[in-house]
Amino acid sequence: MRNMESANNLRCQEHFGDSSELSEGIKVELSKLSHKMPENPAVILLFSGKRKSGKDYITDLLQSRLDNNVSKIIRLSGPIKQQFALNNNLDYEKLLTASDYKEKYRLEMISWSEAKRRKDNGFFIRAAIEMYEGTKYPIWIVSDMRRQSDLQWFKEHYGNVIYSVRIKASIETREKRGWIFKPGVDDAESECDLDNVTDWDQEINNNTETIEDLDPVLNQLKNYCISKLKHL
């Protein structure tokens, strides 16, 4: 299993197919999104990591330590999953969870979203900011950055306020959390495109099994966010 992932991390080939267009109702709503960027937030935390590395777990814990009136989790996959659920009559809430239900449709959802992203690589990012009402909050916690194009987009539009965090966990730890190598998913761009990025602002080794072990890094990130608010 470990050798399989290591080999695929080197080649990371895409596995994308044709996809349906947005339904007319949602297309009308998303067409209202302006290409003009919202007012600059004080800080944008960009989290990334492999499946079962603990991105959602850590970002949820961080959000719980911040004031809900000033910080917001922005899931770039949110508008993707919402529209995919509408198109295919699926349970949107279940697609948001780390569940077998989501894994069942992951590959098809990736293929569909990549076709849209090839036409406009910032489309789903702008849609996510709109969906989670990011303009109302000075702190954005982006919980699921997956591509170099995502990172580049944020650098181009919000470069002076971004703070990138890479979550890492050993294969053994991820396997304990239910990770199993899945062709077309774990060797796709959505999992591998950030593998060769090395200039993260921070890396977190998340092999822990207790919240207490994460306290130091969570407090550090919380204090970092608070320090940025003082400059407003």
Side-chain angles (χ1 to χ4, degrees):
M1 185 73 69
R2 301 185 190 91
N3 290 337
M4 183 181 296
E5 189 194 29
S6 298
N8 279 285
N9 280 345
L10 294 176
R11 49 182 182 269
C12 291
Q13 298 177 348
E14 298 179 18
H15 296 268
F16 307 130
D18 294 334
S19 64
S20 59
E21 290 295 324
L22 297 171
S23 64
E24 289 301 319
I26 298 298
K27 185 186 295 183
V28 171
E29 288 300 314
L30 293 181
S31 68
K32 297 177 182 178
L33 291 173
S34 172
H35 281 253
K36 181 180 179 181
M37 293 302 102
E39 293 297 321
N40 281 347
V43 60
I44 302 175
L45 300 178
L46 299 174
F47 286 84
S48 68
K50 295 287 193 178
R51 287 199 303 131
K52 300 298 182 180
S53 62
K55 299 185 297 296
D56 288 336
Y57 181 66
I58 288 177
T59 52
D60 285 345
L61 286 175
L62 177 60
Q63 174 64 31
S64 71
R65 299 182 182 215
L66 293 166
D67 188 336
N68 287 333
N69 293 317
V70 299
S71 65
K72 185 73 171 181
I73 291 179
I74 295 178
R75 305 186 193 281
L76 300 185
S77 61
I80 299 173
K81 292 175 180 176
Q82 183 183 61
Q83 180 57 43
F84 185 79
L86 286 171
N87 286 354
N88 297 279
N89 195 28
L90 301 176
D91 188 323
Y92 169 63
E93 294 299 328
K94 285 186 178 180
L95 287 178
L96 290 176
T97 65
S99 64
D100 291 340
Y101 186 86
K102 179 180 72 174
E103 296 305 322
K104 179 179 178 181
Y105 297 103
R106 181 188 287 270
L107 182 55
E108 184 180 352
M109 187 161 51
I110 289 173
S111 297
W112 172 79
S113 64
E114 287 298 342
K116 185 65 183 177
R117 191 176 287 102
R118 282 196 289 270
K119 298 177 182 178
D120 178 359
N121 67 3
F123 180 85
F124 287 117
I125 300 177
R126 297 192 303 273
I129 294 170
E130 180 86 0
M131 179 179 182
Y132 294 103
E133 300 181 306
T135 56
K136 295 182 179 180
Y137 304 89
I139 300 172
W140 298 359
I141 303 173
V142 177
S143 64
D144 57 350
M145 184 178 68
R146 294 181 176 278
R147 298 165 180 81
Q148 291 190 41
S149 61
D150 296 339
L151 180 58
Q152 186 60 36
W153 189 93
F154 278 105
K155 285 182 176 180
E156 290 176 357
H157 294 96
Y158 297 105
N160 60 325
V161 297
I162 63 173
Y163 187 82
S164 60
V165 183
R166 182 68 169 177
I167 308 297
K168 294 185 174 182
S170 67
I171 293 177
E172 290 83 358
T173 297
R174 292 165 60 206
E175 287 175 339
K176 289 180 182 178
R177 295 170 182 166
W179 178 81
I180 299 174
F181 180 85
K182 186 174 182 179
V185 173
D186 291 297
D187 53 2
E189 181 184 59
S190 59
E191 280 296 305
C192 300
D193 199 38
L194 293 172
D195 286 357
N196 294 324
V197 176
T198 58
D199 57 343
W200 304 107
D201 292 309
Q202 184 172 350
E203 294 185 0
I204 298 174
N205 290 314
N206 184 30
N207 292 311
T208 181
E209 296 182 359
T210 67
I211 295 177
E212 288 74 18
D213 289 336
L214 288 171
D215 278 342
V217 70
L218 290 171
N219 288 333
Q220 175 256 315
L221 289 170
K222 174 185 175 180
N223 292 335
Y224 177 79
C225 291
I226 293 173
S227 72
K228 292 300 180 180
L229 291 181
K230 293 180 180 177
H231 296 154
L232 292 180

